[in-house]
Amino acid sequence: MRKFRQASMGFIAVPLFVLSSSGLAADRRPVAGGVSSETADRPPADWGAPVMGRLENGVRFAILPRQGNEPGVAVLMRNEGGFIAEHRPGERGLAHLIEHIVFHSPTIGSPDDLDHLKRIGMPLTLPAPNAGSTSWRESNYYLSTRTTASADLDVLLALLRDAATGMTLRADAVDTSRGEVMREMADKKLGNKIYADYIAAIAPGSPNDRLDAQNSDDVPTASIDTIRGLYRRLYRPENMMIVVVGNVRPGEVKNLIEKRFGDWKSLKPAHRQETFPMFQRNLIRPVSFSALPQGRRTALVTVVMPTPVPSSSRDQQARAYIMDLLATRAINDRLATLQPGSPPGKVGMFIENGEQGQRQIMLWDNFAADQWKPAVTGLRKTTCDLANSGFTAKEWAAARHNLEADLKQRTIDMPKTANVDLAKELSHVLADGRDLIPPDEMLRYARIMLPQISARDANNWWREQWGSGIEHLRVEAPDLARLQNPVSAIRAAAVEAVGTSTSKLS
């Protein structure tokens, strides 16, 4: 029997395709500079214009029509309020527990039907590795229909409405879900600890550090009244979003969403929006380490800064994201050149913009046993060389050429993007107030911008970006357990890498 759902709490997520890092727009506006939307080497756009809105009760929705390669459509329900909402005594892990209960609980309309959502929904949906997730800021439920029939989509929307408002939280369904959550957390214990330690070092006080999201201590013992209290506090119209992606008629889908969610009335008192904690800049130390016996071997140099407020201009969002992509490409190319013959993913750079509650720029080296010093040396020297000497004209020209080729390939691959993956990204940009900028449109922006961006422009960007955060050097390796003072040893290796340079690390 296939797995219908599995909650996920990932480590570091890399976007699967090009989206702006700064909303959502209901139209495809022309690119500045007068570039035609039709070019000889660009296939027809796969995505239509998103249709978005909010029902009178506060439920948000987004509908993205596209052709794609799937027989059906994706439907996603997002509830704002994950681990960050577990601020009352006895609630640790209950947002995650509720996500599991959704797939087991009978509903008010079917009080004797255990596993109601699975029994009705499974025959209509495509097999999937998971159908739910909970993070520090939301819970998601995502399904993909086998056909584009409106009747099938309507059934799934009705099931999600039942999940949002009609779960009975019957004791046997709750107990089954408790066991699932505890087993899942036990399986992920090591990975979660590695991640939590990393976030505590680079962004102390941020949601993923302060909230201790991996803590599910109250799941085994929480009363149904306590679970119901959090359920009613979180699952309210103003916290809910419905996203549908696929070969659909937006007007018809909008009517279905209105039909299933339009009569949902919010309970009193009015919901108070949760305040997201910011990381505490003054608590970031220059160096940290982990020596877990079964941990990974990696060196990371990171700067963290507040997530920038998204520009209201689609053009500015696209330009900012292209600069991120271009710098990432150039630095990845440099790192690969410095270690010829290394397997893909051994070294690299990643910019994460907001998903963890802050913007971070990270360079890494996944070294082999006993090779942490060369890894530290390489990363430290790279960041200092970039700050002091910048990019060469040759490597910047190569980065521009390679990025354009990459965006062109992503444009060609647009139809291959799974509906459910696109629905997840659409929900994120809608929640963040950003624009969804498809790969073909991003390619058109890039073709205007890239010839105008010189290596000097890139150097200024890097110094500004890297200089605006607090640099942190972290090494994770079981080998460090043999050292009397790992922090001093790491610091000494970093200083040795750049001689007398005072570049950033103190």
Side-chain angles (χ1 to χ4, degrees), residues 265-318:
K265 292 181 173 54
S266 184
L267 299 174
K268 302 297 181 180
H271 175 68
R272 178 181 62 83
Q273 187 67 38
E274 303 292 345
T275 300
F276 297 161
M278 286 294 296
F279 70 94
Q280 295 174 266
R281 182 185 177 100
N282 62 312
L283 296 182
I284 300 176
R285 297 166 294 159
V287 177
S288 71
F289 76 97
S290 172
L292 293 174
Q294 297 175 321
R296 58 187 180 177
R297 285 183 169 87
T298 189
L300 309 106
V301 59
T302 307
V303 293
V304 173
M305 61 205 80
T307 303
V309 176
S311 170
S312 60
S313 164
R314 187 182 185 91
D315 179 82
Q316 290 302 313
Q317 290 180 34

Side-chain angles (χ1 to χ4, degrees), residues 82-88 91-96 215 230 233:
F83 306 123
I84 199 171
E86 299 170 353
H87 51 69
R88 295 181 182 178
E91 291 185 342
R92 291 171 299 181
L94 298 194
H96 186 192
N215 189 338
L230 182 63
R233 198 167 82 235

Side-chain angles (χ1 to χ4, degrees), residues 279-486:
F279 70 94
Q280 295 174 266
R281 182 185 177 100
N282 62 312
L283 296 182
I284 300 176
R285 297 166 294 159
V287 177
S288 71
F289 76 97
S290 172
L292 293 174
Q294 297 175 321
R296 58 187 180 177
R297 285 183 169 87
T298 189
L300 309 106
V301 59
T302 307
V303 293
V304 173
M305 61 205 80
T307 303
V309 176
S311 170
S312 60
S313 164
R314 187 182 185 91
D315 179 82
Q316 290 302 313
Q317 290 180 34
R319 290 175 181 273
Y321 191 58
I322 285 174
M323 279 303 302
D324 283 0
L325 289 173
L326 196 51
T328 301
R329 164 67 71 176
I331 295 170
N332 279 330
D333 289 347
R334 175 177 287 199
L335 290 170
T337 300
L338 292 172
Q339 296 193 31
S342 294
K346 198 260 181 191
V347 290
M349 172 186 161
F350 176 61
I351 300 178
E352 196 284 321
N353 202 36
E355 186 64 19
Q356 309 302 333
Q358 63 275 332
R359 174 176 168 87
Q360 66 186 56
I361 304 175
M362 176 184 69
L363 283 70
W364 75 85
D365 187 327
N366 297 324
F367 53 83
D370 298 322
Q371 294 298 304
W372 67 266
K373 284 187 179 181
V376 167
T377 298
L379 293 180
R380 183 81 178 110
K381 191 172 187 309
T382 297
T383 56
C384 286
D385 285 349
L386 286 168
N388 295 326
S389 304
F391 301 98
T392 67
K394 181 178 180 180
E395 67 183 352
W396 192 248
R400 291 187 302 187
H401 176 271
N402 292 335
L403 177 60
E404 181 173 348
D406 182 49
L407 291 176
K408 184 176 179 180
Q409 186 59 51
R410 296 188 193 195
T411 297
I412 294 171
D413 290 341
M414 283 175 67
K416 299 177 184 178
T417 304
N419 286 332
V420 71
D421 289 333
L422 188 49
K424 292 175 189 178
E425 294 295 339
L426 183 53
S427 72
H428 289 318
V429 298
L430 179 57
D432 295 342
R434 302 182 274 121
D435 278 343
L436 176 71
I437 305 183
D440 58 339
E441 184 179 350
M442 193 64 72
L443 177 61
R444 299 199 299 277
Y445 275 110
R447 284 173 169 164
I448 297 170
M449 289 181 58
L450 294 181
Q452 304 170 3
I453 306 172
S454 67
R456 183 176 180 178
D457 296 326
N459 296 337
N460 291 336
W461 179 93
W462 172 260
R463 289 168 186 145
E464 178 183 348
Q465 290 287 316
W466 196 256
S468 64
I470 299 293
E471 183 175 311
H472 181 85
L473 177 60
R474 181 171 179 81
V475 181
E476 300 181 6
D479 320 76
L480 297 175
R482 300 195 298 264
L483 302 180
Q484 185 174 2
N485 191 332

Side-chain angles (χ1 to χ4, degrees), residues 51 55 61 63 249-259:
V51 175
L55 304 182
F61 63 87
I63 305 161
R249 292 184 288 272
E252 185 176 281
V253 174
K254 180 181 176 182
N255 290 338
L256 291 177
I257 294 172
E258 176 75 45
K259 169 186 172 183

Side-chain angles (χ1 to χ4, degrees), residues 24 51-63 76-81 137-138 140 157 236-244 254 257-258 261-262 264 273 276 426-434:
L24 203 65
V51 175
M52 294 149 300
R54 189 184 292 268
L55 304 182
E56 289 186 6
N57 57 11
V59 173
R60 288 179 293 176
F61 63 87
I63 305 161
L76 177 149
M77 182 173 76
R78 173 184 173 124
N79 176 251
E80 299 292 341
R137 66 176 187 171
E138 87 269 349
N140 293 291
L157 289 171
R236 310 168 70 99
E238 61 269 30
N239 288 350
M240 202 64 74
M241 181 194 305
I242 305 297
V243 178
V244 176
K254 180 181 176 182
I257 294 172
E258 176 75 45
F261 288 87
W264 181 7
Q273 187 67 38
F276 297 161
L426 183 53
S427 72
H428 289 318
V429 298
L430 179 57
D432 295 342
R434 302 182 274 121

